[in-house]
Amino acid sequence: MEKHILLRDLDVPNIRDLAVYSQHEGYAAWKKAVTGMKPDEVITVVKDSGLRGRGGAGFPAGVKWSFIPKDVFPKYVTVNCDESEPGTFKDHHLIRHNPHQVIEGTALCAYAIGANVAYIYCRGEFREPAYELQKAIDDAYAAGLLGKNLFGSNYSLDIYVHLGAGAYICGEESALLESLEGKIGQPRLKPPFPAVSGLYSKPTVINNVETLANVPPIVLNGSAWYKQWGTEKSPGVKLFSVCGHVKNPGNYELPLGKYSIQELLEMAGGSMTGRPIKAVLPAGSSSPIIPASNFHAKLDYEAMAAIGSVLGSCSWIFMDDSVDMVWAARKMIRFFKHESCGKCTPCREGTHWALSVYDKLLSGKGTIEDVNLIGEVNKQIIGKCFCPLGEFATSSMTFTLKHFKQDYVDFIDQKKGGSDVYLKELARDHHLHELHSGVVSVNGIKVH
Amino acid sequence: MLKDKYKDRIAAIFAKYPPERKRSAVMPLLDIAQEEYGYCTEEAMREVAELCGIDPTEVKSVVGFYTMYYEKKVGKYVIDVCDDLPCVLRGADKFVNYCEQKLGIKAGETTPDGKITLNVVMCLAACDRAPMCQVNTAYHYDLTPDKFDKLVIELKKG
């Protein structure tokens, strides 16, 4: 692409500063909307652009906005900046290096749905980026871009930053709302959906940071302009966080549907280790793994579905052929076990037992029956949880088993478990678990 | 008392939420409490509960749920090294081994002088620059044993 639409900091130095952002069409869409467009016109242009949610689910943003009832007040916008999926680091980049575009997108969303308050929910670890984002918001207030009676109109808008405190589940929209209400981040049963009953039981739009960063250029330049990139069903550009065994990890902004997985790998410099790439997780730990034999697939929502995977949040973790999929799956299930909010028994207990099975395999005591047991545990989780975390947890197991069953068989046959490296890893995890769960040792016997 | 010492900050926090939704302030207030006391003490949780008009048990449930709230005393500096899948692919496991060896403690423990707690944590959304860690609020990227040595020297000074 000639110029970036989202990663504009790569083209324009210091675009994080309001003065520089303003010189480069910054807040032009905002002024255009508030002074010359009806809220419905903003919704229409976003709907026509075909922009889909960039947080993972891919739901059309404009359609989501149109669900907000007109006659209920107040309404809210909440921005999901709880980016925690292993492999994802795109929103981190945007709020740090191009914060005003996120703020402007948030403002446009608020105007479109008739909200006067928006909250940007940042994961707690993003403390420093959140301070910088707050500074950018302060600058926007000082310049009269936020606050009361904007551009001489009757429309007023306040944007606040709210920090979480470490919980992956708060990236799930209803858990995020619970957290923002000062509670533990456990998902709500849907319906009602947030558009009807969201923050403080009021109509609420929740969008990902990247989704909203797309909105200012769409409102400024129109939906046809945006649709010059991407495919009919996956229009526009997308950020690809690329990491793992690649030479040049980082964020890449690409039109959807233009390039293949193989081309993405080449853009990122190819294998870092010189060894062949074995597989990739396209949307972090929660996504179905893709073996190298499918790297011909194009990067859009439909093509990824066609090869049995997802585009999701686009966090591409490439792994070379030294990676044992039994180990990788354990690493992922460890994550989900840690992050399960505990609300639904199948997820809370299922991830615990699944990790126990993998621990047994890594410790060298596993048998092929244990491998079969993994599938059984999965069956008890799939379709039995409130939110997608349970399904996500099973995906690491289901799809490593589907595509790399031989790794599991070899793991048992060749007695790969019980190596010094694996035992050290298990010992560390168990030590931490005991510290965190308050287990103490009394005369060598562990008690809670 | 937090409410006297941090009067202005607390007022600014409450101003962000509807007046009848004081509970939304529980997490930002716990941040202040942790800043003040080093961890979420029983007294701090009671103070936060009173400010938000909720039960101390409800505050405690929040403290227990979110990983960034400490229920026990921790080091002046907490080094959180990410050892999730993407980071380990880029050497985070060996890096954690080095940190443990350098500090003479295991992950999860605090140095005897009370200065440094070493933790391994789940994804910190900086996978492209692994091995990486967070020291209190600040991220440190592209870490090597040499960089870690320098970091520890700085922390021990402070």
Side-chain angles (χ1 to χ4, degrees):
Chain A
M1 293 192 46
E2 292 166 16
K3 271 187 177 173
H4 291 89
I5 293 169
L6 303 170
L7 302 177
R8 293 180 69 202
D9 53 294
L10 302 181
D11 305 324
V12 184
N14 299 321
I15 198 159
R16 70 164 74 127
D17 296 335
L18 178 58
V20 178
Y21 183 69
S22 300
Q23 282 162 15
H24 292 84
E25 298 182 336
Y27 292 103
W30 180 224
K31 189 173 180 187
K32 177 184 169 182
V34 177
T35 58
M37 291 171 84
K38 292 197 176 87
D40 273 347
E41 290 175 312
V42 178
I43 294 181
T44 302
V45 68
V46 173
K47 211 190 249 182
D48 290 348
S49 76
L51 172 66
R52 295 171 64 165
R54 302 302 195 215
F59 193 81
V63 176
K64 192 186 247 189
W65 299 5
S66 70
F67 290 156
I68 296 291
K70 305 247 179 276
D71 51 352
V72 183
F73 300 95
K75 315 165 204 280
Y76 293 102
V77 172
T78 56
V79 184
N80 189 341
C81 187
D82 189 60
E83 182 168 63
S84 314
E85 178 69 45
T88 318
F89 42 87
K90 61 189 182 63
D91 301 337
H92 189 187
H93 184 110
L94 287 174
I95 61 164
R96 195 139 220 182
H97 300 291
N98 193 8
H100 285 288
Q101 195 163 328
V102 177
I103 296 165
E104 188 178 4
T106 306
L108 285 162
C109 175
Y111 179 74
I113 66 157
N116 299 108
V117 176
Y119 294 99
I120 303 179
Y121 184 103
C122 294
R123 64 178 293 180
E125 292 85 347
F126 285 175
R127 211 139 286 243
E128 293 199 345
Y131 295 154
E132 291 168 26
L133 185 62
Q134 184 60 55
K135 164 80 171 57
I137 291 171
D138 293 345
D139 290 347
Y141 270 103
L145 297 162
L146 296 174
K148 296 208 184 312
N149 300 108
L150 296 164
F151 307 109
S153 73
N154 291 329
Y155 183 69
S156 302
L157 175 64
D158 287 312
I159 299 183
Y160 302 112
V161 175
H162 182 99
L163 273 165
Y168 167 79
I169 190 60
C170 292
E172 194 282 334
E173 58 181 15
S174 65
L176 185 151
L177 296 175
E178 288 288 297
S179 182
L180 190 44
E181 292 183 6
K183 301 170 199 161
I184 61 176
Q186 290 187 321
R188 298 174 181 172
L189 189 61
K190 292 186 247 182
F193 289 95
V196 176
S197 179
L199 183 64
Y200 308 133
S201 307
K202 295 295 179 187
T204 302
V205 161
I206 303 159
N207 273 140
N208 170 258
V209 165
E210 183 190 347
T211 313
L212 292 170
N214 275 282
V215 171
I218 290 172
V219 171
L220 191 63
N221 303 306
S223 56
W225 169 85
Y226 190 69
K227 285 166 109 168
Q228 67 182 293
W229 298 284
T231 66
E232 196 190 335
K233 286 182 178 168
S234 298
V237 296
K238 176 83 191 80
L239 295 184
F240 291 75
S241 297
V242 183
C243 66
H245 287 145
V246 293
K247 271 192 199 130
N248 305 313
N251 283 306
Y252 294 81
E253 179 179 322
L254 304 172
L256 284 161
K258 186 172 181 183
Y259 300 103
S260 67
I261 301 172
Q262 182 63 34
E263 285 168 309
L264 178 68
L265 171 61
E266 282 157 21
M267 271 179 241
S271 170
M272 170 183 86
T273 58
R275 300 178 69 112
I277 296 294
K278 177 175 179 173
V280 66
L281 291 155
S285 293
S286 63
S287 57
I289 197 164
I290 301 171
S293 55
N294 272 336
F295 281 10
H296 56 82
K298 294 280 189 204
L299 302 169
D300 63 55
Y301 295 94
E302 289 71 35
M304 297 305 295
I307 58 162
S309 195
V310 294
L311 194 70
S313 59
C314 266
S315 21
W316 294 77
I317 308 171
F318 283 94
M319 291 177 269
D320 74 15
D321 67 353
S322 71
V323 176
D324 196 304
M325 289 301 158
V326 178
W327 169 82
R330 180 195 173 271
K331 203 76 178 161
M332 291 186 267
I333 194 70
R334 180 193 72 143
F335 174 81
F336 290 110
K337 189 249 174 194
H338 184 268
E339 299 298 344
S340 174
C341 79
K343 182 163 185 162
C344 307
T345 311
C347 172
R348 184 186 65 238
E349 300 300 315
T351 53
H352 168 83
W353 286 109
L355 182 63
S356 304
V357 175
Y358 277 97
D359 283 0
K360 193 175 169 193
L361 293 173
L362 250 66
S363 72
K365 292 173 189 152
T367 63
I368 203 71
E369 282 75 32
D370 292 309
V371 175
N372 296 332
L373 183 60
I374 293 166
E376 290 303 311
V377 174
N378 280 350
K379 274 190 214 159
Q380 305 303 322
I381 301 175
I382 295 169
K384 295 184 170 68
C385 307
F386 262 43
C387 88
L389 193 144
E391 314 282 310
F392 288 170
T394 62
S395 129
S396 55
M397 303 182 269
T398 306
F399 293 95
T400 51
L401 270 167
K402 181 178 175 190
H403 297 297
F404 299 100
K405 182 79 190 268
Q406 198 58 42
D407 277 25
Y408 285 81
V409 174
D410 290 349
F411 203 89
I412 306 289
D413 287 351
Q414 298 171 18
K415 299 192 181 350
K416 290 185 184 174
S419 71
D420 288 347
V421 174
Y422 288 156
L423 291 180
K424 190 171 174 68
E425 185 170 335
L426 290 172
R428 178 176 292 148
D429 285 350
H430 292 169
H431 180 61
L432 281 161
H433 177 73
E434 287 178 4
L435 286 173
H436 290 159
S437 57
V439 177
V440 289
S441 189
V442 180
N443 299 330
I445 300 165
K446 283 166 184 165
V447 291
H448 286 269
Chain B
M1 293 290 275
L2 297 174
K3 69 177 173 191
D4 302 324
K5 188 167 175 187
Y6 296 97
K7 201 175 159 204
D8 295 345
R9 264 177 82 186
I10 292 171
I13 288 168
F14 279 120
K16 287 158 72 168
Y17 312 101
E20 71 282 11
R21 298 288 181 175
K22 281 188 159 38
R23 185 171 179 162
S24 276
V26 67
M27 288 165 73
L29 292 179
L30 281 170
D31 290 340
I32 294 182
Q34 194 154 278
E35 225 177 275
E36 175 68 16
Y37 301 113
Y39 68 106
C40 295
T41 60
E42 293 282 338
E43 191 204 332
M45 288 190 272
R46 271 198 297 276
E47 279 187 69
V48 170
E50 197 189 320
L51 284 164
C52 295
I54 57 175
D55 198 275
T57 315
E58 291 172 310
V59 176
K60 196 158 187 176
S61 75
V62 169
V63 170
F65 185 83
Y66 297 94
T67 56
M68 291 177 72
Y69 297 127
Y70 308 124
E71 294 178 76
K72 290 176 203 151
K73 199 171 185 322
V74 290
K76 184 175 179 191
Y77 300 102
V78 178
I79 303 179
D80 287 334
V81 185
C82 174
D83 82 330
D84 231 321
L85 177 65
C87 278
V88 173
L89 294 175
R90 302 185 76 84
D93 50 346
K94 293 187 185 74
F95 181 71
V96 176
N97 291 344
Y98 183 78
C99 298
E100 289 186 329
Q101 185 201 323
K102 170 82 187 169
L103 295 171
I105 53 171
K106 284 185 190 167
E109 296 173 351
T110 303
T111 53
D113 61 1
K115 273 278 170 68
I116 297 172
T117 298
L118 177 69
N119 257 327
V120 294
V121 295
M122 301 295 150
C123 189
L124 288 172
C127 325
D128 53 337
R129 302 192 61 186
M132 60 79 57
C133 74
Q134 181 164 30
V135 181
N136 295 0
T137 58
Y139 275 31
H140 297 261
Y141 302 107
D142 307 314
L143 293 170
T144 58
D146 190 41
K147 278 191 186 175
F148 188 71
D149 290 351
K150 288 182 182 138
L151 177 66
V152 171
I153 291 170
E154 285 305 307
L155 297 182
K156 292 268 180 186
K157 272 190 213 160

